[in-house]
């Protein structure tokens, strides 16, 4: 199979949370262990940083990778989901995994995947570790897919574990309370391995402390860190917390003497995250007159920060292109959106995309009105035609919406 045929097989034949949601979720790591043993345990050949959290884990992972690159290390980076091309998930020093490796890996192991019901995410994790081990990376930053305790990435014993923050998301899998979700995320904490907490609340801190005590792990709360204010090319307000989390993580790794990272490495790395890693969709400006901003924030915690930042912008009229997936709690997120904006309700091109008519109907209950479009592109084109140079266009609600615009 060529690359397109290979990725089509991966996307269509096996469950993939990005496309199918609940049917792709597995409740234990049995298959992951089976797969990784079949592959010869490549994860044991790679030094890792493990990053979980409701929001910010992608940005934090990319910040860490960029800083490591500036320090001269060969850096693997595993993240999800991808925006345009599967290969975005697996990178070394900002360069996507090769098409040949993807094809060879799938073709060589296809019968094993089929006979053992290996999921899309499990094979992606196996591929990442196989690639990083083959290429002999110095360090790999591994982002959790969902949750932590039962995530396929949770087979590793990292140098350090990182949990950015906790919010109510994926409650059908992780629990419907902040404490329950914190417990799932805290499941990446390993015995005698330091853990960094990016943000905490009075409800989540006891959960983290209890897990750290259980595993005899030193615990660090990055939000309490008084640190130098390094500028970054990631400009969302929420990046303040992610920078602190990355800085605390680097400080601990430096103290372990596993790696040597200077202040200059940190400064240059944080200023060049996009250039070094190719990260997209985080408060990304796509135009100037009118100003166009896209952001992948898609749950209450993330959207609160992004929508607050929008209100700090100077504009005459706000235009919002909005699309969501069908398992989104609309009564939780729609009240966050401003009533004085012009809305363009649309459906992401994804099996999980919510019908735009349903979204618009629900939005009207919260005082949000606008036109309905059956896809993102015509919504975007209409917004561009309607907006004046002094207006602001915001595109968001889902990773898939941003992916289509990019």
């Amino acid at each position: 199979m060529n690359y397109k045929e290979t990725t089509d097989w991966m996307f269509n034949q096996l469950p993939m949370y990005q496309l199918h949601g609940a049917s792709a979720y597995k409740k234990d790591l049995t298959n992951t262990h089976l797969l990784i043993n079949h592959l010869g345990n490549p994860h044991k050949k790679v030094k890792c940083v493990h990053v979980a959290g409701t929001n910010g884990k992608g940005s934090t992972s990319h910040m860490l990778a960029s800083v490591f690159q500036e320090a001269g290390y060969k850096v693997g980076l595993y993240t999800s989901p991808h925006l345009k091309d599967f290969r975005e998930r697996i990178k070394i020093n900002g360069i996507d995994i090769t098409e040949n490796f993807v094809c060879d890996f799938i073709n060589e192991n296809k019968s094993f995947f089929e006979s053992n019901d290996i999921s899309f995410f499990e094979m992606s994790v196996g591929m990442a570790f196989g690639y990083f081990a083959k290429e002999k990376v110095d360090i790999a930053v591994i982002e959790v897919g969902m949750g932590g305790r039962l995530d396929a990435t949770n087979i590793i014993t990292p140098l350090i574990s990182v949990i950015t923050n906790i919010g109510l998301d994926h409650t059908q899998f992780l629990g419907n309370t902040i404490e329950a979700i914190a417990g799932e995320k805290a499941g990446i904490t390993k015995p005698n391995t330091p853990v960094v907490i990016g943000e905490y609340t009075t409800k989540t801190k006891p959960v983290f402390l209890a897990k750290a005590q259980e595993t005899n792990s030193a615990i660090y709360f990055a939000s309490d860190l008084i640190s130098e204010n390094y500028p970054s090319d990631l400009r969302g307000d929420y990046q303040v917390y992610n920078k602190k989390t990355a800085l605390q993580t680097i400080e601990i790794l430096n103290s372990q003497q596993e790696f040597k990272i200077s202040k200059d490495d940190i400064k240059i790395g944080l200023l060049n995250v996009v250039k070094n890693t190719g990260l997209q969709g985080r408060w990304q400006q796509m135009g100037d007159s009118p100003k166009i901003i896209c952001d992948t924030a898609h749950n209450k915690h993330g959207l609160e920060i992004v929508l607050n930042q929008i209100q700090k912008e100077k504009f005459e009229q706000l235009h919002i292109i909005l699309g969501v997936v069908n398992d989104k709690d609309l009564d939780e997120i729609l009240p966050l959106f401003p009533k004085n904006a012009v809305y363009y309700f649309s459906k992401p091109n994804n099996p999980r995309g919510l019908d735009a008519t349903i979204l618009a109907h629900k939005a009207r209950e919260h005082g949000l009105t606008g036109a309905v479009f059956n896809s993102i592109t015509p919504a975007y084109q209409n917004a561009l035609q309607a907006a004046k140079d002094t207006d602001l266009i915001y595109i968001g609600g889902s990773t898939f919406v941003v992916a289509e615009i990019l």
Side-chain angles (χ1 to χ4, degrees):
M1 297 188 293
N2 61 28
Y3 177 69
K4 186 181 185 306
E5 292 167 341
T6 299
T7 52
D8 284 347
W9 179 85
M10 292 172 71
F11 297 155
N12 295 329
Q13 181 156 331
L14 298 174
M16 176 185 178
Y17 184 80
Q18 189 169 348
L19 293 177
H20 303 293
S23 66
Y25 185 68
K26 295 192 176 182
K27 294 186 179 296
D28 62 56
L29 295 176
T30 301
N31 268 21
T32 308
H33 286 294
L34 185 69
L35 168 63
I36 212 73
N37 287 333
H38 166 76
L39 297 175
N41 297 302
H43 63 302
K44 294 183 178 179
K45 302 172 185 176
V46 180
K47 294 179 179 179
C48 298
V49 175
H50 203 189
V51 184
T54 301
N55 293 302
K57 59 184 182 291
S59 293
T60 301
S61 296
H62 283 78
M63 285 180 182
L64 288 169
S66 182
V67 170
F68 277 116
Q69 285 174 229
E70 290 296 342
Y73 295 106
K74 189 174 186 179
V75 187
L77 178 62
Y78 176 76
T79 58
S80 62
H82 61 271
L83 291 176
K84 305 297 286 185
D85 183 350
F86 167 80
R87 296 186 302 131
E88 297 166 27
R89 294 172 178 247
I90 304 169
K91 298 183 178 186
I92 295 177
N93 284 7
I95 301 173
D96 295 350
I97 187 173
T98 66
E99 291 186 359
N100 283 343
F101 191 95
V102 174
C103 294
D104 290 346
F105 180 85
I106 295 300
N107 289 334
E108 289 168 9
N109 297 285
K110 187 167 176 281
S111 61
F112 178 87
F113 296 154
E114 291 173 328
S115 60
N116 291 281
D117 193 28
I118 302 298
S119 74
F120 170 88
F121 192 75
E122 288 162 346
M123 68 173 70
S124 301
V125 169
M127 183 188 298
F129 285 121
Y131 189 60
F132 296 154
K134 177 179 178 290
E135 295 297 323
K136 296 182 172 59
V137 298
D138 297 311
I139 182 75
V141 182
I142 306 297
E143 180 193 355
V144 166
M146 181 173 65
R149 181 176 64 91
L150 298 176
D151 189 76
T153 63
N154 202 29
I155 54 172
I156 59 176
T157 301
L159 299 175
I160 189 167
S161 302
V162 180
I163 302 170
T164 56
N165 55 51
I166 303 299
L168 287 173
D169 200 15
H170 302 306
T171 53
Q172 68 271 48
F173 309 115
L174 306 180
N176 55 14
T177 68
I178 287 292
E179 295 90 338
I181 294 173
E184 289 298 311
K185 308 283 187 187
I188 70 167
T189 308
K190 299 298 192 301
N192 307 304
T193 302
V195 57
V196 171
I197 308 300
E199 301 171 67
Y200 65 87
T201 67
T202 54
K203 290 183 177 180
T204 61
K205 189 173 185 178
V207 177
F208 296 137
L209 288 170
K211 187 64 177 180
Q213 183 176 20
E214 175 193 325
T215 56
N216 192 36
S217 302
I219 187 168
Y220 302 83
F221 295 95
S223 57
D224 297 339
L225 179 68
I226 300 173
S227 59
E228 187 175 338
N229 185 24
Y230 291 95
S232 174
D233 60 344
L234 301 184
R235 303 193 184 282
D237 284 357
Y238 49 83
Q239 302 297 359
V240 171
Y241 307 105
N242 297 329
K243 277 193 287 185
K244 281 194 170 189
T245 306
L247 289 170
Q248 180 73 84
T249 303
I250 291 164
E251 182 179 304
I252 295 165
L253 289 172
N254 265 340
S255 70
Q256 292 176 342
Q257 298 183 335
E258 285 277 354
F259 298 91
K260 188 175 182 179
I261 299 171
S262 70
K263 284 191 174 183
D264 280 347
D265 297 330
I266 296 171
K267 179 180 179 180
I268 298 170
L270 291 177
L271 278 173
N272 292 282
V273 178
V274 174
K275 176 185 173 184
N276 286 343
T277 69
L279 179 63
Q280 296 190 82
R282 272 64 169 185
W283 194 259
Q284 182 172 342
Q285 185 170 341
M286 299 174 56
D288 196 18
S289 297
K291 191 170 189 177
I292 304 169
I293 298 291
C294 69
D295 195 280
T296 56
H298 57 277
N299 52 40
K300 183 180 179 182
H301 182 273
L303 284 168
E304 278 179 328
I305 299 173
V306 169
L307 292 170
N308 182 60
Q309 186 169 356
I310 284 175
Q311 295 305 326
K312 297 177 186 176
E313 295 282 333
K314 292 181 180 179
F315 54 82
E316 187 172 344
Q317 177 65 60
L318 176 61
H319 303 258
I320 295 181
I321 299 167
L322 185 63
V324 298
V325 292
N326 56 24
D327 58 358
K328 190 60 59 184
D329 185 346
L330 297 179
D331 288 323
E332 182 178 62
I333 66 167
L334 288 176
L336 304 175
F337 285 85
K339 294 180 173 61
N340 60 350
V342 177
Y343 285 87
Y344 304 78
F345 301 108
S346 45
K347 178 185 181 297
N349 182 23
N350 182 282
R352 292 172 58 216
L354 180 66
D355 184 275
T357 304
I358 298 172
L359 175 59
H361 177 75
K362 193 68 179 178
R364 281 195 295 272
E365 296 178 9
H366 295 276
L368 313 178
T369 59
V372 175
F373 300 88
N374 60 11
S375 64
I376 305 301
T377 299
Y380 182 46
Q381 291 170 342
N382 273 264
L384 287 174
Q385 291 172 1
K388 294 186 290 188
D389 287 352
T390 51
D391 290 352
L392 173 65
I393 299 174
Y394 167 69
I395 305 155
S398 167
T399 300
F400 309 117
V401 172
V402 173
E404 287 186 52
I405 293 298
L406 293 176

